[in-house]
Amino acid sequence: MSTAAKPPLKRIVLPVFFALIFCFIVLQFVNRPLITNPPVTGEIEAPAQVKAILKKACYDCHSNETNLRWYDKVNPVYHMVAEDVTEGRKGLNFSTWKDLAAPDQKGKLWEAVNQIIAGAMPLKNYTAVHPGAKVSLEDLAVLKKYLSDMVVSKPADTSKTNALDKQYKNWTKETAAQTAPSVSSNGIAYIPDYKNWQVISTTDRVDNGSMRVITGNDIAIKAIKENHINPWPNGTIFAKIGWDKIADVDGNVHTGAFKQVEFMIKDDKKYASTKGWGFARFKTPKLLPYGKTKLFATECVNCHRPESANDFVFTSPVKH
Amino acid sequence: MRSSYLLLPALLLFLVSCSEKHPDGASLINKEASLPAAFNFSKMGLKVITSSINKKQGTMSTLYGNDLALNTAKAGRPAQPGEVLALITWKQKDDDRWFGAKIPGKLQSMEMINTTAAPGAAATVTYKHYDGDQMALNPDTLVNQERIKYIFDQKPSVMP
């Protein structure tokens, strides 16, 4: 071993080392994406304490006031940061907050706090370099209280009762005559059979004042019986049915008007680009498909992402 | 040179340890809310009729029924022979995966209604109430009539 070969250090390692340095320097200049800060058109309004938390923990990626430190600007880090900022702003931007309708603002805030609780946000690789951006338990308590205080529970609400009555009349006198099936922009057609499937669980959503029942097709029910639910088998379909809430005089809450039905169809090949699930949402009794383009599914995936260790499924099934 | 041989496994180990752990299926089941297997509830093939929440008691219930029960309720007709209805009630608990949601916690009770043909009347109603840790049949019949009325009064949820 030691006889013929010269020590390889000078012959190989040094040139490689310098080549790498050279590449690194070149990398700083080529193909440099540009992060600009577009104008702040309608910033979120919130108590100072709440806003301070969002600013320190989220604004770098979810506002038009991105503040990059020198070490963020070194490639290849810079490329990753730029990608995060672009993607981050797309899904949530506190600088253009007022473009969202009031209920959507509320929904986004609950989603934001839930992503923090789940440990999904701020991104871990970001807090590793920016420890000051971490959301402490005290911060989280402030955010949770802010949200809880926003919930107003109205008792009997006549507009909701009227909406239900109207729907109910049409629904109960419906004949077998079927209209053309509704199809989502990603090609998934409405599945009328969801109401004949067995129940997996129910939820009482305090955040948006709705009630939900989650049903599953036979493949889903069999998987639950056998505990084979992580990952869920191909062919599994879930339906989540959502209604308004209507409280009666005794404080009993019943389902109000039908809002929507959502589906998740498992096929790890066909739906590989959306984490193995085909997503679709049909709104109102007219079953209007949600989402102008098939990109709407990114929204579904992003909110379900904290459940990535559970095959992107939130519901913990109740065996029936 | 040698070090590169070490580096690769080290890097792999690092990546593996960073990748998330996937809990096994059984641990993802909501066990305290699940029905005793002995009830064979799912074999009855009942469908959801409606769901409700009792804020004062912090419970949530789901009403299930067979086709006849659903159709009778939708048509607003009195009970027909052959109906099967089940009202299951849970204590609510906070959903630890979604701040802002409540889901079924401990299973609290199961109420079953069966209707059979009766001479002279529309149908005979049998009511059974199971509760407690063992979901045992509750012999108390004091509130039976009230509960039967409550269950039959439920309006089905709109499901287009």
Side-chain angles (χ1 to χ4, degrees):
Chain A
M1 263 194 106
S2 56
T3 50
K6 276 186 185 170
L9 187 73
K10 278 194 193 135
R11 265 205 356 232
I12 302 168
V13 176
L14 278 185
V16 166
F17 179 71
F18 284 118
L20 281 177
I21 294 272
F22 178 74
C23 288
F24 181 75
I25 293 170
V26 169
L27 197 67
Q28 302 310 314
F29 298 99
V30 293
N31 198 16
R32 210 172 159 83
L34 208 60
I35 306 175
T36 55
N37 275 331
V40 177
T41 52
E43 199 184 1
I44 184 172
E45 281 170 34
Q49 226 186 344
V50 170
K51 206 150 153 188
I53 298 167
L54 299 179
K55 277 204 159 151
K56 78 162 184 192
C58 323
Y59 265 44
D60 271 352
C61 302
H62 293 293
S63 82
N64 294 345
E65 297 179 65
T66 304
N67 171 24
L68 294 185
R69 273 55 113 208
W70 67 266
Y71 45 84
D72 296 319
K73 296 183 184 166
V74 180
N75 262 328
V77 172
Y78 187 68
H79 261 92
M80 286 150 61
V81 173
E83 165 116 16
D84 285 346
V85 173
T86 314
E87 287 305 307
R89 282 178 183 167
K90 245 190 250 165
L92 171 71
N93 191 335
F94 290 115
S95 300
T96 57
W97 188 248
K98 290 185 178 154
D99 292 352
L100 294 175
D104 295 340
Q105 292 179 352
K106 236 176 89 186
K108 274 284 175 217
L109 269 185
W110 284 89
E111 181 184 351
V113 173
N114 268 292
Q115 298 254 356
I116 299 173
I117 295 171
M121 287 291 151
L123 293 176
K124 289 224 172 60
N125 56 10
Y126 170 81
T127 44
V129 208
H130 303 87
K134 280 193 186 137
V135 178
S136 68
L137 286 177
E138 294 84 68
D139 292 342
L140 196 53
V142 169
L143 296 176
K144 280 177 155 179
K145 173 146 194 336
Y146 175 57
L147 289 185
S148 304
D149 289 349
M150 281 196 325
V151 175
V152 276
S153 56
K154 275 181 276 178
D157 177 332
T158 44
S159 68
K160 282 193 179 162
T161 314
N162 293 341
L164 170 63
D165 288 348
K166 208 168 132 207
Q167 267 194 9
Y168 193 82
K169 261 191 213 118
N170 287 330
W171 178 59
T172 47
K173 68 170 190 238
E174 216 168 65
T175 48
Q178 283 287 331
T179 44
S182 193
V183 181
S184 176
S185 54
N186 56 0
I188 295 176
Y190 167 69
I191 311 167
D193 209 27
Y194 73 90
K195 47 191 173 288
N196 299 321
W197 296 342
Q198 299 211 20
V199 177
I200 295 179
S201 193
T202 51
T203 42
D204 169 7
R205 291 280 297 262
V206 183
D207 52 348
N208 56 18
S210 67
M211 286 169 72
R212 282 93 189 277
V213 169
I214 294 125
T215 63
N217 68 352
D218 289 347
I219 297 178
I221 300 299
K222 182 163 177 280
I224 293 170
K225 198 167 208 163
E226 295 166 354
N227 295 336
H228 288 155
I229 59 171
N230 200 14
W232 289 83
N234 278 347
T236 296
I237 312 182
F238 299 118
K240 181 169 106 170
I241 318 154
W243 299 274
D244 268 344
K245 272 183 192 171
I246 297 183
D248 67 17
V249 283
D250 301 323
N252 286 322
V253 181
H254 298 275
T255 56
F258 168 88
K259 291 281 168 204
Q260 60 187 27
V261 57
E262 296 176 299
F263 295 103
M264 279 169 70
I265 306 173
K266 181 73 190 261
D267 187 327
D268 56 359
K269 296 205 176 57
K270 191 168 171 192
Y271 302 120
S273 67
T274 47
K275 307 294 174 189
W277 292 97
F279 290 89
R281 176 187 287 166
F282 300 94
K283 300 182 69 151
T284 78
K286 293 205 176 84
L287 303 167
L288 305 171
Y290 173 80
K292 287 193 188 77
T293 69
K294 64 178 188 176
L295 284 177
F296 80 88
T298 332
E299 206 183 297
C300 317
V301 171
N302 279 351
C303 193
H304 279 242
R305 192 184 305 275
E307 296 304 318
S308 57
N310 306 332
D311 202 10
F312 293 83
V313 172
F314 276 103
T315 302
S316 174
V318 175
K319 286 194 184 185
H320 277 75
Chain B
M1 280 276 100
R2 252 287 210 29
S3 61
S4 69
Y5 290 103
L6 280 173
L7 206 67
L8 197 69
L11 198 74
L12 277 177
L13 205 72
F14 175 72
L15 285 176
V16 168
S17 64
C18 278
S19 70
E20 43 185 14
K21 298 197 174 50
H22 292 258
D24 75 343
S27 70
L28 294 172
I29 302 285
N30 187 345
K31 283 186 206 68
E32 58 175 335
S34 290
L35 274 49
F39 272 106
N40 269 322
F41 187 83
S42 71
K43 287 231 176 73
M44 287 190 258
L46 304 185
K47 303 167 182 178
V48 57
I49 295 184
T50 189
S51 158
S52 60
I53 299 157
N54 186 316
K55 278 204 200 161
K56 276 185 218 142
Q57 296 179 358
T59 59
M60 62 205 297
S61 307
T62 302
L63 180 65
Y64 311 75
N66 62 0
D67 281 325
L68 183 66
L70 178 62
N71 291 335
T72 313
K74 269 178 88 169
R77 284 188 297 165
Q80 306 292 305
E83 285 185 37
V84 181
L85 289 139
L87 183 71
I88 303 184
T89 302
W90 293 268
K91 267 275 172 225
Q92 280 193 318
K93 69 172 180 193
D94 286 334
D95 183 353
D96 58 14
R97 300 193 196 164
W98 189 263
F99 173 63
K102 291 191 168 139
I103 56 171
K106 196 173 177 335
L107 177 64
Q108 182 166 300
S109 69
M110 245 179 98
E111 294 163 86
M112 295 285 310
I113 284 182
N114 284 278
T115 59
T116 47
T124 303
V125 178
T126 322
Y127 170 89
K128 286 191 180 129
H129 181 140
Y130 303 85
D131 60 11
D133 278 344
Q134 306 300 320
M135 280 290 121
L137 186 62
N138 188 329
D140 191 353
T141 57
L142 203 64
V143 293
N144 281 11
Q145 289 313 313
E146 195 186 309
R147 294 304 295 169
I148 291 170
K149 179 169 170 7
Y150 176 80
I151 291 171
F152 277 120
D153 279 351
Q154 301 283 308
K155 239 166 118 178
S157 298
V158 176
M159 281 179 271

